Amino acid sequence: LIFNVGNKIDMTLFRGNMLPCFILYLSAYIAYYDFDLFLKRIMQLYFSFIVLSVIAFITGQTFDFDGRIGIEGFHPNILGQYAGYYLMFFSIYIIRFKLTLIKKIILLLPPLILIFYSESRNSLVILVFAAISFIIGYGSKNKLKASTILKTLIVIILFYLIGEYTLNNTSLGERLLGGISGESSQVRLQYSSGTIFDTILGERIMYYTIGYDLFTRHPILGIGLWNFVDFNPFELPLHSEYMVHLAEGGIVGFILY
């Protein structure tokens, strides 16, 4: 734990780099030897955090990030992602363990509330992956019955109606449909692709466009690790790790990653 200041421990580096790795390895170890125990414990931890976040929102202990909820130390996107990851685990949990309808609703409601009010687009993508995970897992464990097909159709119709309402009547819908909300009309004109990606990626299309342009100019070894900041005229960094390694490491760095 001794890093760069004599014999003093760099606590920032420890908390930011060492501790998360330790938690990750411990979780992987537990999951390897007893997956059901791991699944139960990780669900309990995620659910506790999500419920506390929702309580913070209800009691007004949150900050307003352009109309989206966040709590101190946690950006709205992070809250939405945590809820999405929880639902990924939940998609496995409800296949491995039998739950009553009431318990399913109790376990589902808080993360869905958090996703809705955090207005995180990528958490919706994770939610789709959770649904796919459940369909594959359920389909591989149970025989396909007429009642199962009917239930699936009902759920699809329900999700469609909720999605339609969300898109047309909420600020989350505005974020999803609004497309690029860059720093000026010039930015929108310069970096918009004229495709569906403008809507999906929003203002991030700027960073993807710049990153890809840098890759085409330095395809083999890239521009060098952490050098994107020197080519970026905007305030945010590259959002995708894949694009980071493609632009900064070129083909070699991307393959290694």
Side-chain angles (χ1 to χ4, degrees), residues 24-233:
L24 178 64
Y25 297 149
L26 178 61
S27 298
Y29 178 85
I30 297 170
Y32 179 77
Y33 284 100
D34 192 339
F35 184 76
D36 285 349
L37 174 66
F38 163 76
L39 191 58
K40 288 178 180 178
R41 294 294 176 265
I42 205 78
M43 285 280 293
Q44 289 167 356
L45 289 168
Y46 267 104
F47 188 74
S48 300
F49 175 79
I50 289 166
V51 167
L52 288 173
S53 300
V54 172
I55 291 172
F57 168 64
I58 292 171
T59 57
Q61 305 300 313
T62 56
F63 69 84
D64 189 317
F65 187 88
D66 293 335
R68 305 161 63 196
I69 69 161
I71 56 178
E72 188 172 350
F74 296 92
H75 187 277
N77 284 344
I78 302 299
L79 293 180
Q81 287 166 9
Y82 279 8
Y85 297 148
Y86 166 86
L87 291 171
M88 283 288 291
F89 284 116
F90 184 76
S91 69
I92 304 169
Y93 187 83
I94 57 176
I95 292 170
R96 296 180 76 94
F97 304 103
K98 288 185 177 180
L99 301 175
T100 63
L101 180 61
I102 296 296
K103 192 170 183 181
K104 287 177 183 176
I105 292 171
I106 291 172
L107 292 175
L108 270 174
L109 202 55
L112 291 176
I113 290 172
L114 201 58
I115 286 175
F116 184 80
Y117 282 105
S118 67
E119 300 179 21
S120 170
R121 289 175 291 207
N122 46 27
S123 68
L124 291 177
V125 176
I126 302 173
L127 180 58
V128 171
F129 279 117
I132 294 170
S133 169
F134 172 75
I135 291 167
I136 293 172
Y138 186 86
S140 63
K141 187 177 180 181
N142 302 281
K143 291 181 179 178
L144 198 62
K145 302 175 183 176
S147 60
T148 305
I149 296 172
L150 181 62
K151 289 177 185 176
T152 304
L153 287 173
I154 291 171
V155 170
I156 290 171
I157 292 169
L158 186 62
F159 266 97
Y160 173 79
L161 293 173
I162 293 172
E164 189 77 9
Y165 176 83
T166 301
L167 288 174
N168 295 320
N169 299 280
T170 67
S171 53
L172 174 57
E174 290 177 8
R175 274 176 52 76
L176 291 170
L177 295 174
I180 295 177
S181 59
E183 295 158 355
S184 67
S185 58
Q186 183 182 357
V187 167
R188 289 195 290 273
L189 289 172
Q190 185 177 353
Y191 292 103
S192 61
S193 63
T195 67
I196 192 174
F197 290 105
D198 291 345
T199 298
I200 295 172
L201 298 174
E203 65 276 4
R204 296 174 188 174
I205 195 73
M206 300 183 295
Y207 303 96
Y208 281 81
T209 304
I210 296 168
Y212 184 75
D213 179 57
L214 290 171
F215 163 69
T216 57
R217 287 192 277 139
H218 307 273
I220 306 301
L221 295 175
I223 59 174
L225 195 60
W226 300 320
N227 283 341
F228 180 76
V229 65
D230 295 324
F231 296 85
N232 178 25

